[in-house]
Amino acid sequence: MMDSIDTLKKQRDTNQKTPSSTNSWMEHITFRLATKHDIAKCYEIESASYPPDEAASLTSLTYRQQHATPFFLCAMLQNNNNDDDDDNEEKEETIVGFTCATKCRTFTEESMSTHDPNGTLLAIHSVVVEESYRRCGLASKMLQYYISAVKKQRTIERIVLLAKSHLLGFYVNCGFQVMRPSSISHGKDLWYDLEINLALSNEALPSSASTQDYYSGNINGGDDAANIIRSPFLSLHSPKKKKQQEKIALVILNTPMSSPPSSIFTHLWNMASFHVCADGGANRLYDATITKDNEDNKYIPELIRGDLDSLRSNVESFYKSKGCKVERDSDQDTNDLDKALQVILKKYSSHENNKEEEMSVYIYGAFGGRFDQEMASIQALYKWQTHFHNKIFLYNDETCAFILAQSIRNEIRLPFYGDDHDNHNEQDVDDKGKDKGLVHGEGPTCGLIPIGCKCDFVQTTGLKWNLHGDVPLEFGGLVSTSNHASEECITVICSEPLIFTAEISTRRI
């Protein structure tokens, strides 16, 4: 790398000047390798830029300069007070930033503490700029210069580093890819592993690279650590595919239902092994399914639960006569949906020792009623996501929504993707809610909604308009609505929880 940096130093006069007059000092920036006399200043910048539990010690910086000299680069500001004195070789210069790294064979906390001359990984420890010179593009310029020099060597296979969520966009713009939440503990915050795979290309990896390039590796020790979400309607599209054993609960909320019930509701009902009406949801189910000519109905829930301020007496009597249990919970600090989820969680907690089973909860009627009730349903996703391992979903006949877990790869498989928009309505459904040559499912229109907080980093594949980690999602800024699933599998890595939503489509088979 020494030769590479020397070569690049000869080209420094060709660097473009910064258009802004306030950044005119940028034209006087050059780069050189650090000497032992620079370490005190580098330590001063390091200590002022990182929390005490993250900043490198003076001993560590000294070690890196001594043992990994070719990989310790300083950004120098040339202070030339006499521009006409071209023969003056002793121009005053100031260190305004630096990048340092060590070589290793594996990317672990232990391996980063030393320098292995025979290592094929280059682990960057610091990319830091003095505070008064920040937000002018210097960090990007310095890091890109550094990467260019490293690429000219054929001994480095990957450049790796750790970064917090708010800096992921910066590193993605410099050519890095976010690989996984890091297992390395450094300070109190969560970090992410990033890398540039020089073995794939001599150029910085493009942000539009395919799923196979960047998501084929394991996350936290295995692919099964990813949050995998499969549409409940995929079984209609591939009926011969063996379905993994799964326990499913359905909660019916107090919002309008069509009579007879839609095919969407019917499919969710048939999938579920446990059906709970949240208070007035029993009224909606009764009105949609019970007629004077037909009281021997298959739509009998196992439980009605809530404060029961909405449940009609005739509905309560009817379902009790069919063996349904009715429970009153007068706690006013929880809503009826929470009360239903409490029972479901308690019911299935006894099955936790069976590792072959998964549990999913579908909440029907989450949209289409009062706005505050819709927001209560969204709140339930955030409140209960960890209890149900991110397998809790909101549905009505037009749309669905669920939460994406932060810090791991989310894989979403929808039945409808691509440019086929041959949608139909429910006119070809018989009086029992059975399809006549139609199938239903989520997609292709979808969205990523940052409810609750700003999401600093979002990287996706499989969407018509993918996100590459360079722009945060937030209200008042970018919100990814009216996007489209373009591939069978959508992947999302996000630094904070996101709501994924998709339309419900009906298509002829």
Side-chain angles (χ1 to χ4, degrees):
M1 180 172 172
M2 180 77 75
D3 293 340
S4 301
I5 289 182
D6 289 340
T7 301
L8 287 170
K9 286 175 67 178
K10 295 178 182 178
Q11 301 172 356
R12 66 192 180 196
D13 293 335
T14 65
N15 291 340
Q16 293 182 348
K17 296 183 179 181
T18 305
S20 173
S21 59
T22 60
N23 295 344
S24 60
W25 55 268
M26 283 283 282
E27 65 186 83
H28 299 294
I29 292 292
T30 60
F31 302 102
R32 66 165 173 78
L33 296 180
T35 69
K36 64 180 181 180
H37 305 292
D38 299 325
I39 300 306
K41 178 61 177 177
C42 290
Y43 177 65
E44 177 185 328
I45 297 174
E46 174 92 3
S47 301
S49 302
Y50 295 107
D53 59 347
E54 297 175 11
S57 65
L58 180 60
T59 301
S60 294
L61 292 176
T62 301
Y63 174 87
R64 293 167 191 169
Q65 191 278 325
Q66 290 177 347
H67 295 274
T69 305
F71 304 102
F72 203 131
L73 185 72
C74 290
M76 311 300 299
L77 176 60
Q78 302 291 333
N79 301 319
N80 184 10
N81 295 324
N82 185 2
D83 293 336
D84 295 330
D85 188 6
D86 294 333
D87 296 330
N88 181 15
E89 296 182 358
E90 298 297 329
K91 297 179 181 179
E92 183 181 353
E93 59 182 11
T94 302
I95 299 174
V96 293
F98 70 91
T99 300
C100 65
T102 54
K103 294 174 71 175
C104 55
R105 302 189 189 194
T106 59
F107 190 33
T108 64
E109 187 170 8
E110 182 179 1
S111 67
M112 289 180 67
S113 64
T114 59
H115 174 66
D116 182 352
N118 297 318
T120 58
L121 304 183
L122 185 66
I124 293 179
H125 298 278
S126 297
V127 179
V128 61
V129 171
E130 191 168 14
E131 184 174 8
S132 57
Y133 295 94
R134 295 174 189 167
R135 295 177 178 83
C136 298
L138 176 56
S140 296
K141 181 178 180 179
M142 178 175 64
L143 184 55
Q144 289 168 357
Y145 183 103
Y146 192 91
I147 294 169
S148 296
V150 173
K151 281 182 180 179
K152 293 184 179 297
Q153 287 203 21
R154 299 299 177 183
T155 59
I156 301 297
E157 294 181 359
R158 289 184 289 151
I159 305 175
V160 295
L161 58 79
L162 301 174
K164 295 182 181 179
S165 62
H166 70 281
L167 289 174
L168 296 181
F170 165 77
Y171 286 112
V172 168
N173 283 336
C174 291
F176 285 86
Q177 289 292 320
V178 180
M179 303 308 295
R180 62 188 66 83
S182 182
S183 61
I184 298 175
S185 177
H186 187 53
K188 62 181 181 179
D189 295 324
L190 175 67
W191 294 76
Y192 294 84
D193 291 341
L194 293 87
E195 74 171 44
I196 294 179
N197 192 333
L198 302 183
L200 294 179
S201 173
N202 287 328
E203 301 298 327
L205 295 178
S207 57
S208 59
S210 68
T211 302
Q212 289 75 17
D213 286 338
Y214 304 121
Y215 297 113
S216 58
N218 293 338
I219 288 185
N220 290 341
D223 288 338
D224 58 354
N227 182 35
I228 300 174
I229 300 167
R230 296 183 77 256
S231 161
F233 296 93
L234 284 174
S235 60
L236 297 177
H237 298 251
S238 303
K240 295 183 180 180
K241 187 174 181 179
K242 185 177 180 180
K243 189 176 183 296
Q244 182 180 4
Q245 187 176 8
E246 183 179 15
K247 289 190 174 295
I248 297 175
L250 176 65
V251 179
I252 299 108
L253 299 183
N254 188 10
T255 54
M257 286 179 60
S258 61
S259 181
S262 69
S263 296
I264 305 300
F265 176 82
T266 300
H267 182 66
L268 294 176
W269 179 279
N270 291 337
M271 288 178 57
S273 58
F274 187 53
H275 311 82
V276 182
C277 289
D279 198 353
N283 300 335
R284 304 292 187 173
L285 180 64
Y286 180 91
D287 293 340
T289 61
I290 305 303
T291 65
K292 292 182 180 179
D293 299 329
N294 181 19
E295 287 195 354
D296 186 17
N297 196 280
K298 71 172 184 177
Y299 296 103
I300 305 299
E302 285 75 33
L303 176 65
I304 300 172
R305 192 166 197 261
D307 59 12
L308 305 187
D309 62 344
S310 301
L311 181 63
R312 301 199 306 261
S313 59
N314 67 311
V315 174
E316 180 179 2
S317 298
F318 172 80
Y319 284 124
K320 278 185 174 180
S321 70
K322 299 294 184 179
C324 175
K325 186 177 181 180
V326 179
E327 291 184 356
R328 182 187 301 274
D329 184 341
S330 301
D331 181 12
Q332 294 303 303
D333 290 331
T334 56
N335 58 39
D336 292 329
L337 176 55
D338 286 333
K339 292 175 172 62
L341 293 174
Q342 287 171 351
V343 171
I344 294 170
L345 185 63
K346 182 178 180 181
K347 175 180 176 63
Y348 287 127
S349 62
S350 61
H351 298 281
E352 289 179 348
N353 59 338
N354 189 341
K355 301 302 183 182
E356 298 298 323
E357 296 178 337
E358 294 182 356
M359 178 177 62
S360 298
V361 179
Y362 293 91
I363 301 169
Y364 182 83
F367 308 104
R370 296 192 338 238
F371 179 71
D372 63 326
Q373 292 178 335
E374 292 183 339
M375 293 308 296
S377 298
I378 296 292
Q379 155 71 358
L381 294 181
Y382 285 84
K383 182 177 180 178
W384 293 91
Q385 62 164 324
T386 56
H387 296 287
F388 292 103
H389 307 290
N390 301 299
K391 295 296 189 291
I392 180 169
F393 309 92
L394 306 179
Y395 273 80
N396 73 353
D397 293 340
E398 289 80 32
T399 191
C400 71
F402 48 86
I403 201 163
L404 299 179
Q406 69 185 81
S407 306
I408 66 173
R409 183 178 73 254
N410 296 273
E411 294 184 2
I412 306 154
R413 296 184 180 274
L414 305 179
F416 298 138
Y417 55 91
D419 297 325
D420 182 10
H421 298 289
D422 184 23
N423 291 349
H424 297 268
N425 55 35
E426 290 280 332
Q427 64 183 358
D428 290 337
V429 177
D430 64 21
D431 57 0
K432 295 182 179 180
K434 185 177 181 180
D435 299 342
K436 293 183 177 180
L438 299 179
V439 292
H440 311 276
E442 303 88 346
T445 305
C446 59
L448 293 166
I449 316 297
I451 295 178
C453 65
K454 174 182 178 182
C455 190
D456 289 304
F457 177 86
V458 186
Q459 188 175 47
T460 69
T461 66
L463 296 176
K464 185 174 182 179
W465 295 284
N466 278 312
L467 301 167
H468 305 300
D470 51 347
V471 179
L473 292 186
E474 60 179 327
F475 284 102
L478 176 66
V479 177
S480 181
T481 58
S482 299
N483 211 324
H484 282 76
S486 61
E487 298 177 15
E488 181 180 5
C489 180
I490 299 168
T491 66
V492 182
I493 295 179
C494 47
S495 57
E496 286 78 31
L498 279 178
I499 296 295
F500 186 93
T501 182
E503 68 172 325
I504 304 295
S505 302
T506 304
R507 300 185 180 185
R508 191 179 304 279
I509 56 177

